[in-house]
């Protein structure tokens, strides 16, 4: 039986309900755990954590006191990752939340990030509070995706919305540490894609049903990616003298005017060769 000794400042033992100390006696007859705490002036509250041994509680309290003074440790926010993701997506759509360059997110980027959140991230992190997700948690998640056969570039793209959410949370003081930094990810090796010639493209387009040729011709000759093609609602004008087609930007999506290419003004490209419609 252990006597009911005085514990160090900032640490208190947590006895079991059956312990003799719970009935007014001085001697402990259980194996207590120890709760350590430090006071955060910034949050106006105590930060607590329970440990199985007194030594572990002492070590944590010492490290936590230093972190609180440096401002790298805060009380956990009740906001979950799913709640933060909902706010971030809404802000990215209406333009109130910008990317790191200060520009609005492209509609195709927002759609891709929303797909990543719904397909992978929210199932794994959605119910967790922002402050409860650690770098080890994110690293294990990325390692698991790699083990399941996902391409390294796909893994990086999947993590992009989580990085953006935590970057915003860190800037707003909602978390003290960004768990998406310092990750070890598989290397992304570029793969050179084969580009079809004009003649091959024309032959492929002619082989399509008539009602589908205009869409695929636009994709081939404008060099549009799938997301750009789906998002584009621009009108085209053909100059007979210059034999070139210009894509004119129009308002779409959440109201942003966007071009399929990242250059100001109209994007010009060679006019396709004529081919029969039958």
């Amino acid at each position: 039986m252990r006597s009911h000794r005085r514990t160090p400042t900032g640490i208190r033992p947590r006895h079991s309900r059956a312990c003799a100390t719970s009935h007014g006696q001085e001697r402990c007859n259980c194996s207590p755990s120890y709760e350590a705490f430090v006071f955060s002036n910034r949050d106006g509250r105590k930060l607590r954590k329970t440990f199985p041994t007194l030594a572990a509680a002492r070590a944590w309290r010492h490290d936590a006191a230093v972190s609180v003074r440096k401002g790298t440790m805060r009380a956990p926010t009740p906001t979950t990752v799913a709640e933060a993701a909902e706010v971030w997506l809404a802000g990215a759509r209406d333009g109130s939340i910008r990317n790191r360059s200060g520009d609005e997110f492209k509609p195709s980027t927002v759609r891709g990030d929303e797909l990543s959140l719904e397909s992978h991230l929210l199932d794994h992190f959605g119910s967790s509070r922002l402050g409860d997700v650690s770098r080890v948690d994110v690293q294990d998640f990325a390692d698991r995706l790699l083990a399941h056969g996902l391409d390294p570039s796909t893994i990086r793209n999947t993590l992009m919305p989580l990085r953006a959410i935590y970057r915003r949370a860190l800037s707003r003081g909602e978390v003290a540490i960004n768990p998406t930094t310092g990750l070890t990810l598989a290397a992304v090796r570029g793969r050179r894609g084969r580009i079809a010639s004009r003649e091959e493209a024309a032959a492929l387009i002619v082989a399509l049903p008539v009602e589908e040729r205009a869409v695929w011709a636009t994709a081939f000759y404008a060099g549009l990616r799938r997301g750009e093609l789906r998002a584009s609602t621009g009108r085209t004008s053909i100059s007979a003298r210059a034999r070139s087609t210009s894509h004119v930007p129009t308002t779409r999506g959440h109201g942003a005017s966007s071009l399929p290419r990242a250059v100001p003004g109209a994007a010009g490209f060679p006019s396709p060769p004529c081919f029969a419609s039958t």
Side-chain angles (χ1 to χ4, degrees):
M1 296 181 64
R2 291 178 293 274
S3 61
H4 185 49
R5 297 177 299 175
R6 182 183 178 187
T7 52
T9 302
I11 300 176
R12 71 178 183 91
R14 302 189 64 177
H15 301 276
S16 67
R17 294 182 178 179
C19 181
T21 57
S22 300
H23 303 286
Q25 300 184 25
E26 294 185 359
R27 290 185 175 275
C28 169
N29 60 356
C30 72
S31 298
S33 57
Y34 295 88
E35 181 186 75
F37 60 88
V38 294
F39 186 81
S40 171
N41 290 323
R42 183 177 182 180
D43 298 299
R45 54 179 290 191
K46 291 180 179 180
L47 311 183
R48 307 172 184 271
K49 194 168 185 180
T50 301
F51 299 88
T53 65
L54 179 60
R58 279 176 168 167
W60 178 87
R61 187 177 186 279
H62 176 270
D63 294 340
V66 174
S67 298
V68 167
R69 286 196 300 270
K70 291 182 177 180
T72 58
M73 184 175 185
R74 292 199 58 184
T77 174
T79 304
T80 64
V81 174
E83 292 169 344
E86 183 178 358
V87 173
W88 182 85
L89 282 172
R93 291 192 187 100
D94 63 27
S96 60
I97 296 178
R98 304 293 182 99
N99 60 24
R100 283 181 290 183
S101 300
D103 299 319
E104 292 189 28
F105 287 96
K106 294 182 179 180
S108 58
T109 300
V110 177
R111 286 194 297 270
D113 289 343
E114 184 175 15
L115 181 61
S116 295
L117 286 165
E118 293 177 351
S119 301
H120 299 286
L121 294 171
L122 294 185
D123 287 342
H124 193 82
F125 297 109
S127 60
S128 301
R129 294 187 298 182
L130 284 173
D132 290 343
V133 178
S134 68
R135 184 175 291 111
V136 173
D137 296 330
V138 182
Q139 183 69 63
D140 288 345
F141 173 74
D143 293 345
R144 192 175 302 112
L145 293 182
L146 186 64
H148 288 169
L150 269 70
D151 188 81
S153 63
T154 302
I155 297 173
R156 289 179 182 271
N157 292 337
T158 298
L159 293 175
M160 288 303 292
L162 192 66
R163 292 181 186 273
I165 290 168
Y166 271 100
R167 191 163 54 243
R168 180 173 184 267
L170 185 65
S171 67
R172 293 167 57 89
E174 296 175 347
V175 295
I177 297 175
N178 185 346
T180 66
T181 59
L183 301 176
T184 303
L185 302 177
V188 177
R189 305 298 182 188
R191 292 175 294 180
R192 184 180 297 275
R194 188 180 70 84
I195 302 176
S197 65
R198 288 172 53 132
E199 293 74 17
E200 183 182 0
L204 292 171
I205 294 169
V206 169
L208 292 169
V210 175
E211 62 273 13
E212 296 183 12
R213 292 179 184 178
V215 174
W216 287 104
T218 302
F220 269 116
Y221 295 113
L224 301 182
R225 293 172 294 184
R226 183 178 63 176
E228 294 169 332
L229 183 64
R230 292 177 60 187
S232 177
T233 59
R235 62 185 184 275
T236 59
S237 60
I238 300 178
S239 170
R241 176 180 296 179
R243 296 296 298 165
S244 64
T245 302
S246 294
H247 180 96
V248 181
T250 58
T251 300
R252 58 178 170 80
H254 57 256
S257 178
S258 177
L259 284 171
R261 297 178 186 270
V263 294
F269 47 85
S271 175
C274 296
F275 46 83
S277 61
T278 58

